[in-house]
Structures are given as structure tokens and as C-alpha cells.
Amino acid sequence: MLCHLHISNFAIVRALEIDWADGMSTITGETGAGKSIAIDALSLCLGERTDATVVRPGADKADIVATFDVSNLVSAQKWLTEQDLAMANECIVRRVINSEGRSRGYINGVQVPAQQLKVLGQHLLSIHGQHAHQQLMKGDYQRQLIDSFAGHQAAINNTKAAWKQWQQLQHEYTELEQSKQQRDAQRQLLEYQVAELDAFAPNADEYCSLEAEHNLLSHGQTLLSESQQVVQMLYDDEQQNIYQALSAAHAQLEQLSTLDPALTSISQMLNDALVQTEEASRELRRYSDKMELDPERLDYVDQRLSQWLNLARKHHTSNEELANLHQQLSSQLAELTCNDARLASLADEIEQAKQHYAEQATRLSQQRKIAAEQLSKKITASMHELSMSNANFHIALIEQSLEQASINGIDAVEFQVSTNPGQPLQAMQKVASGGELSRISLAIQVILADKVTTPTLIFDEVDVGISGPVAAGVGKLLRQLGDKTQIICVTHLPQVASQGHQQLFVEKYTDGVDTETRMFALNDEQRISEIARLLAGENISASALANARELLCAPAV
């Protein structure tokens, strides 16, 4: 519940501290005094849009702080814990708006976006304004009211999930069907391309291997003849070869090293060269012996390389990427084939999803019918209490075809009213006057608020346009609700104001230079005077005071 509200430099409020009690609190005051100022500030504190005009002229910022007791609010505690914002059993919400219109929001001292303030606010209170009945004429809002009263969220979720699955499958089918002609043309091209590449069968590393082999085969004769020439030069030429020359040089230097040991290392170098020359000659001879010229293999490799180059150029890819392209095109063709198979199977899946949605929506519709009957009786009874004794209220559920269905089910909802005996039920907006709509709206709000046990309910002049016995009935309804939950009601009616467990008064004060709004709790005597003022105006008579005491059930003085 709301425990405390601090307001500073908001509109014409300089500073305001309000302690709120449980039960029903009524707020009254003179016309133009700003009776709704606290409600407006609270709305901004809980995330409503704002601008610089809310800041009191001359001030640099407006500051609003609301303190709530959340010890019994399971949903609020759960949300705060999930957001890592929990703080024992108390929740402090703050909104600061500077003179340039920028704002900052805080929950338990942690800065948060305005959207989080708004989400938290849904767990803390509900504000009903004087124009709430305008929403009442909209079919979607009427359906939401039934669902709120019924509390069948699981059935709603199941219907929505079934609808989404059905629509998703239909969307998939439509896309595949619309692209079928394009896929057919693409598949024909891919089938030709893949068949051509399948026949060629390029392997991932084959191109580099082919290039290397082609280079070797095309130079085979040169490699063979010249390697044999080198063997002749190194070792095999009987007249003159490198090995013989090195051998003679080594022998001569070896003799000289006996005269000068410094030549020993050089002699060793020549000896090593002899060994290397002999080994090189042996390896070259072995290489030449193995070398075989293969014109047929060269022709095959040459042809395959030519095909490779032609296909790469034809498919606009590099030689090295041709094998990868083959795999990609094969995958694309397989995917197109799968899409066609998917299209063939979707029809059955769509029909199954449609039937599943129909089952869930029908189950939801049946639950709505039960709730609609119960809610109709409750609203009719409340209308009788609000001086509409001959009225009859009925919620009509019109079952639609699956072609007209939506994510919310198969029901079209219409609130119907008969206000006089003998009159048939008709759509509420056609036969109910503005005052009657306000009473019906209030009755529904009270009934639903009781059903969903909202922690704090705020009614901002919802009693506009009513008086007399009707006002008394409204007051009793709100008082009844205030026995179960916290009610804050801004009103101009003495019959409503007197029903509050406590009453606050709003006044506008000016010293000729500045103007500000003040709000304070009334004691018993002040409350009698205020109720008398609401009854008789500024000239309060003894009769008005007596009537006020009677309304308040207060003893005479």
C-alpha cells in the first residue's frame, strides 16, 4: 500500500508531505484548488511521460518520492527481486524532473529508466480517471475486463501460443508458395551447374597438385637430359670431371700440409667436397634412372587443368575455390529440394495447428461464457444499487468463425444494457447516457478491483455527473471496497467524501505574489465543516452542519 508521498516544486506545489492510511481516503477541496495534484504527481513518479511544464516556476527541479509497503505484495516483491532492487518490506520510488524537462527515476536508490517505473507501478496501484467509461465502449477493452474477472490466464496463454504457431506455419507456407516459381527456375539452373561439376568432380586440394604435376611432366625431358649432363660433369666423364680435379687438388694440398700444418683444415674441406660430389653424383644417377617420360599422363593433366580453368571462369570463381563452389551449389540445390518437400508437408501441419487453436480458443470461450454470466449478474446488481433499479446488464459473446478469429480467441464481445422495463437489450453505447456509462464503469471497476485484489486503487473524480441517491450508492460501493484494500478517491460529492475512513483537504493559497497548493488531513470537526461546505456551499448553515454530521454518523455538539 501507499504509505507516504513527498512532493516539492511540482506545478503549484512548493512542498507537500502526505501520510496515507489504509482503508478509504477521500480528497476534497474547492474548485481549482488542485484536488488531483497528488494523483498527477504520483502518476509521474510511476513513469508517466513528463516535460518541463511540471516544474514550479522559478525552481530548478521537481522532486516526487513515493513510499510503499510491499510486505504483502508478492508480485511486487518478486519483480523487485528479479531486478535486484529489493529492500526489505519497503519500496521507495523517486522521480526528479529538471527545468529543461529531463528526468531521472530511482527505485530504492538505484537509478532506472522510466519504463521500469511504469512496470513497477502496475504491481503497486491502479488509477481510474473520470473518463474511464470511454474505454468501456471498446470491444477489446470489454474482452479484457471479462478476462480480468475470470482470471483464466493459462487458457489465454494457451490460445495465444496456438494462434502464433498456426500463423507462423501459414506465413511459412505463403512465403514458400510465393517463391515457388523463383525456386523452380533457380533449381533448374542449379541442377545443370551441379551436374556439370559432379561430372568433373573437383577435389579440394586437387588444383595445386595438378599444377605441380603438370609443371613436372611438361619439363620431364629437360630434367632428364640436363641431370645426366651434370652427372657426366661431376663424375662420369672419363676425360675430365670435377671429381678427378678435386681429387688431384686434395692430394697436392695434403702433401703441402706436411710442410705447413695450417693447410690441414683446407685439405679437409677438399676431402669433404669429394665426398659430397660423389654423393651428389650417386643421387643424380638414381634420379635419372627413376625419371620416366609419360606423354599420356601429361596429356591427361593438361586437359584436366584446361577444364578446371574453363569451369572456374564460367562460374566466376577462382581456380582454388572451384571445389568449394561445387559444395555450395550442391547444398543450395539440396535446400531447394527440402523446401519443396517442406511445402508439401506444411498443409497437414497447418490443419493440425488450426484444429489445436480451435480447441484452445473454444475452451477459452467456454470459460469466458461462465465468467460473462457471473459478471453480468454482479454488474446488474451494482447498477440497481446505483439507482438504476430497472436496468439489466448482459455480456454477449458472439462466436466468430476461424477466418475471423484472432490471437485473443474466437469471441467478439458486446456489453448490452436495457435501462427500462420492456426495452430489449442493446449495445451499451447506443442506449446508455453519459451518467449511466459512468455508473456502469464505476461498478465494473469496483467489481474487478475486488476480484484482482489490486493493492491500491485511486479514483480520480469518477463520480462526475451524479448526485443524490446515486452518489450515496457510489460512496457505499467505494467504502465497501475500502474495507478490503486501500482506496484513494478524489471527489466533489459529500455522499462520497463522508464514506471515507479518513479525509484530506486541498486548498490553494496566495499571498499576492506566489500561489501554492496545500493538502492536509482533516480532524473530526474540520471534516464536518468540509462536508457541510460540499452540501451547502460557502454559506454553511446549522442545517448543513446537521446533515454533515448525519452523513458522517458523528454525534451532535
Side-chain angles (χ1 to χ4, degrees), residues 482-553:
D483 291 333
K484 301 175 182 178
T485 190
Q486 186 183 39
I487 299 294
I488 298 171
C489 180
V490 178
T491 183
H492 66 287
L493 296 176
Q495 296 92 334
V496 175
S498 61
Q499 290 292 332
H501 295 90
Q502 50 275 323
Q503 186 172 342
L504 296 97
F505 181 72
V506 180
E507 67 175 358
K508 186 162 61 176
Y509 167 81
T510 180
D511 59 4
V513 178
D514 287 329
T515 301
E516 61 181 277
T517 288
R518 301 171 179 173
M519 180 183 292
F520 54 90
L522 299 177
N523 60 31
D524 290 343
E525 285 302 312
Q526 290 172 327
R527 196 171 180 191
I528 291 171
S529 297
E530 172 59 7
I531 296 298
R533 186 191 67 81
L534 293 174
L535 285 166
E538 296 301 324
N539 298 318
I540 300 175
S541 62
S543 175
L545 289 170
N547 287 338
R549 289 191 183 94
E550 184 179 352
L551 284 174
L552 290 166
C553 298

Side-chain angles (χ1 to χ4, degrees), residues 212-468:
E213 186 179 5
H214 184 270
N215 186 57
L216 181 64
L217 291 172
S218 62
H219 295 89
Q221 184 60 52
T222 301
L223 290 169
L224 179 61
S225 60
E226 293 192 8
S227 63
Q228 289 174 343
Q229 289 176 15
V230 173
V231 171
Q232 287 289 323
M233 292 168 58
L234 290 175
Y235 202 88
D236 288 352
D237 193 327
E238 295 179 355
Q239 296 181 357
Q240 183 180 7
N241 60 64
I242 292 174
Y243 184 83
Q244 290 175 346
L246 282 172
S247 181
H250 174 259
Q252 186 174 353
L253 197 59
E254 193 172 28
Q255 290 179 356
L256 292 174
S257 66
T258 61
L259 301 175
D260 185 356
L263 296 173
T264 301
S265 61
I266 300 174
S267 174
Q268 184 60 45
M269 291 181 189
L270 288 173
N271 185 63
D272 291 343
L274 280 168
V275 173
Q276 293 292 330
T277 301
E278 186 176 15
E279 181 65 24
S281 300
R282 189 161 43 248
E283 288 296 322
L284 272 173
R285 195 176 294 110
R286 189 178 298 116
Y287 174 82
S288 300
D289 291 343
K290 287 183 177 180
M291 174 68 71
E292 293 183 5
L293 301 179
D294 190 346
E296 291 183 1
R297 177 64 183 174
L298 175 60
D299 184 58
Y300 168 79
V301 172
D302 189 58
Q303 289 184 21
R304 186 153 181 84
L305 267 179
S306 296
Q307 284 182 286
W308 195 292
L309 295 173
N310 289 334
L311 285 171
R313 185 165 50 251
K314 181 177 182 179
H315 290 282
H316 305 288
T317 188
S318 65
N319 301 323
E320 293 79 6
E321 289 297 316
L322 183 64
N324 288 337
L325 178 65
H326 180 209
Q327 295 301 320
Q328 292 172 10
L329 294 178
S330 298
S331 297
Q332 291 176 18
L333 180 59
E335 184 178 352
L336 285 177
T337 303
C338 287
N339 283 338
D340 289 340
R342 175 65 177 156
L343 187 62
S345 67
L346 266 177
D348 289 338
E349 290 187 37
I350 289 172
E351 184 59 31
Q352 292 174 9
K354 179 180 178 181
Q355 291 305 317
H356 178 61
Y357 167 78
E359 292 170 4
Q360 298 300 323
T362 299
R363 190 172 293 119
L364 174 61
S365 180
Q366 291 169 348
Q367 294 182 21
R368 279 178 177 155
K369 288 174 182 176
I370 295 172
E373 184 177 353
Q374 295 172 349
L375 184 56
S376 295
K377 291 178 180 178
K378 284 180 173 289
I379 294 173
T380 297
S382 291
M383 290 168 65
H384 292 170
E385 292 178 13
L386 296 175
S387 299
M388 297 177 69
S389 56
N390 295 317
N392 186 25
F393 185 90
H394 176 69
I395 300 175
L397 294 181
I398 305 162
E399 187 173 320
Q400 298 176 307
S401 66
L402 288 178
E403 287 69 27
Q404 298 172 297
S406 73
I407 193 171
N408 297 306
I410 56 176
D411 300 309
V413 181
E414 184 177 82
F415 283 8
Q416 298 176 342
V417 174
S418 170
T419 56
N420 296 301
Q423 284 187 334
L425 288 165
Q426 296 185 57
M428 182 177 61
Q429 60 268 32
K430 293 182 179 179
V431 296
S433 65
E436 289 169 336
L437 283 173
S438 295
R439 279 180 272 173
I440 296 170
S441 175
L442 179 60
I444 292 173
Q445 290 171 34
V446 172
I447 291 168
L448 291 182
D450 186 29
K451 184 72 175 178
V452 299
T453 60
T454 306
T456 298
L457 289 172
I458 298 175
F459 293 93
D460 188 8
E461 298 200 40
V462 296
D463 50 15
V464 170
I466 61 176
S467 60

Side-chain angles (χ1 to χ4, degrees), residues 67-78:
T67 303
F68 295 86
D69 178 358
V70 295
S71 57
N72 296 319
L73 304 183
V74 177
S75 65
Q77 288 182 336
K78 180 182 177 183

Side-chain angles (χ1 to χ4, degrees), residues 40-48 64-66 93-95 117:
D40 295 339
L42 192 57
S43 297
L44 290 184
C45 190
L46 293 174
E48 287 299 320
I64 307 164
V65 183
V93 185
R94 183 186 180 198
R95 187 90 178 272
L117 296 178

